[in-house]
Amino acid sequence: MLPLMKEYKNVCDSENKLLIVSEGFEARALEWLKSLKDTVTFEKVIICKYEPARRSRYSEILMLVKKHTKKEPICLSYNRFEPTVFEGTLREELVDADIYTDIYIDITVMSKLLIMIVINELKKYQNNLHFIYSEPVKWGPSKEQYERAMKERKNGSAICLSSIGVGDIVRTPALSSVVMQKNPAVLIAGLSFNEQIVNILVNDISPEKIFLINQGCQRDGWREEAIEEIHRGILDEYSYQSDVISKFLLADYDKVFEYLVKVYKRYWLTNRIIISPTGYKVHAIAFALIKICCPDIHVEYPTPDSYLFDGYSSDEVQCVYELSFSDFEKSLKEIYKSYELGG
């Protein structure tokens, strides 16, 4: 069974820890780092810095991590539109990952593709892997912003209320696959308030089947219906398929993984399986796990042109989550066996 996400309590007291974080424009990017006690020290810190440059809290994050690391933090450039170089650079930095008894990854403001790259590069890691995520009290847009945008919507225009446009579909060597390339594609992707993200995937891939994961939200139930409504065109296009859309709460990464397994087992012998982690960041963990367990899966990621910085999420944090795997490589093997992914 997969470990469950729990409310974060404290950092383990092991001597040799590695921290991987990324910069970001949201204030909650600092929440977990600010909560660390003065006694918490990491042997090494890797900061992923986004390129092209955008609004950033890099200087604040750098100042915070310097309080908790023995060595000068290492900054790695992550080009959102050309992530292949980063993938190779990170691999070199993690070549001796097993010297660390614990690795912490704060995914709060990481790109979802970046999350997948980091996890994939740690698939041989034999010690304890921890994921940290700070959930905001409120997400943008507000219900009023959504309703106004829908009223002003013109025929054929897209609703982009979390990010704007799509620069390109990107992929990396380690997350790619040419298996079943000539077969009809099955696409599994997450939904958001930027409908262009899934639109460009569908237009580029022309999948035979499509499976969409909506963002379940207990506190603001209107969001679920709103996200579904702005994707009405795609849902209607695949209306002949009865099981197009499913819904999972933020912390239910384990249920997302089980869903991915179900779809994979149904189609892996007849179709090319393409996944895109375009929903919740936490769900990107499930996408990474299925990709590692099933290397024949291909990953495509449409990168937004830009983000709506104001109101993207609240500064206040609802909960800080932690997800921990002991002996990550062994855990992956147990997951593979438990879910019978060997065919």
Side-chain angles (χ1 to χ4, degrees):
M1 293 293 292
L2 289 165
L4 300 179
M5 295 201 73
K6 300 178 180 179
E7 186 174 349
Y8 164 78
K9 298 299 182 184
N10 54 265
V11 172
C12 64
D13 58 2
S14 61
E15 289 294 322
N16 202 5
K17 299 185 291 290
L18 167 67
L19 170 62
I20 304 175
V21 299
S22 73
E23 62 162 327
F25 59 85
E26 299 167 82
R28 64 193 175 100
L30 310 174
E31 179 71 18
W32 180 67
L33 290 171
K34 285 182 176 179
S35 74
L36 295 179
K37 298 177 181 178
D38 292 339
T39 54
V40 174
T41 303
F42 296 92
E43 184 70 26
K44 178 179 176 181
V45 175
I46 297 174
I47 305 175
C48 305
K49 193 173 190 302
Y50 292 115
E51 299 292 345
R54 61 183 185 180
R55 189 187 297 188
S56 171
R57 294 182 179 272
Y58 175 74
S59 59
E60 296 171 79
I61 290 174
L62 180 63
M63 181 177 65
L64 283 171
V65 299
K66 280 187 172 182
K67 296 179 180 179
H68 299 283
T69 182
K70 297 177 182 178
K71 301 175 182 177
E72 187 69 16
I74 295 171
C75 177
L76 300 183
S77 294
Y78 176 76
N79 189 315
R80 296 182 296 122
F81 301 103
E82 297 177 1
T84 298
V85 173
F86 172 85
E87 186 178 68
T89 304
L90 180 66
R91 185 173 302 139
E92 293 175 2
E93 288 292 338
L94 296 176
V95 70
D96 60 349
D98 282 342
I99 68 172
Y100 304 105
T101 55
D102 293 84
I103 295 180
Y104 282 80
I105 308 171
D106 187 346
I107 67 169
T108 301
V109 292
M110 278 191 177
S111 154
K112 283 153 269 191
L113 184 64
L114 173 56
I115 294 170
M116 287 196 69
I117 291 172
V118 173
I119 296 173
N120 188 66
E121 293 304 322
L122 286 168
K123 61 189 175 187
K124 298 295 183 182
Y125 177 60
Q126 297 180 350
N127 292 313
N128 306 313
L129 188 62
H130 310 261
F131 297 95
I132 301 294
Y133 180 77
S134 301
E135 178 190 10
V137 171
K138 287 286 184 182
W139 300 94
S142 66
K143 187 175 182 180
E144 292 72 24
Q145 288 174 315
Y146 163 72
E147 291 175 343
R148 183 168 60 250
M150 290 297 285
K151 286 180 180 178
E152 297 172 353
R153 187 181 198 180
K154 298 178 181 179
N155 290 335
S157 63
I159 297 290
C160 301
L161 291 170
S162 55
S163 55
I164 301 172
V166 179
D168 198 3
I169 294 178
V170 299
R171 56 195 66 84
T172 70
L175 297 179
S176 297
S177 171
V178 296
V179 175
M180 307 288 278
Q181 199 165 21
K182 295 183 180 181
N183 290 53
V186 167
L187 172 65
I188 313 171
L191 299 181
S192 71
F193 273 98
N194 182 352
E195 66 180 285
Q196 288 183 314
I197 288 177
V198 173
N199 281 343
I200 194 173
L201 280 169
V202 171
N203 291 336
D204 187 72
I205 297 168
S206 297
E208 180 181 68
K209 299 281 187 179
I210 186 170
F211 297 91
L212 302 175
I213 297 175
N214 197 0
Q215 300 180 9
C217 187
Q218 291 177 321
R219 296 197 307 276
D220 292 303
W222 70 268
R223 295 175 62 86
E224 300 171 6
E225 294 182 8
I227 290 174
E228 188 169 326
E229 185 57 34
I230 66 175
H231 291 87
R232 182 60 54 194
I234 292 176
L235 296 177
D236 288 345
E237 183 180 347
Y238 286 86
S239 59
Y240 61 85
Q241 187 184 326
S242 61
D243 51 355
V244 170
I245 193 163
S246 298
K247 178 180 66 179
F248 298 97
L249 298 175
L250 181 143
D252 289 343
Y253 91 99
D254 56 320
K255 295 179 182 177
V256 173
F257 179 79
E258 291 170 356
Y259 175 76
L260 295 172
V261 168
K262 179 181 176 181
V263 176
Y264 175 79
K265 285 186 173 183
R266 187 174 167 187
Y267 293 104
W268 76 282
L269 286 174
T270 57
N271 294 80
R272 188 183 195 208
I273 311 294
I274 301 175
I275 62 174
S276 188
T278 46
Y280 278 133
K281 292 181 188 295
V282 172
H283 293 178
I285 298 173
F287 279 73
L289 296 178
I290 193 71
K291 169 57 183 174
I292 293 171
C293 290
C294 307
D296 54 314
I297 289 176
H298 178 69
V299 180
E300 301 258 306
Y301 188 72
T303 300
D305 277 328
S306 60
Y307 291 84
L308 298 174
F309 299 113
D310 297 326
Y312 187 85
S313 68
S314 62
D315 292 350
E316 299 79 19
V317 169
Q318 175 75 18
C319 181
V320 178
Y321 292 98
E322 179 177 1
L323 172 64
S324 298
F325 292 84
S326 58
D327 190 336
F328 189 52
E329 183 183 34
K330 182 180 179 182
S331 295
L332 289 171
K333 291 178 180 178
E334 291 174 348
I335 292 168
Y336 180 85
K337 183 178 179 181
S338 175
Y339 287 92
E340 299 177 340
L341 289 168

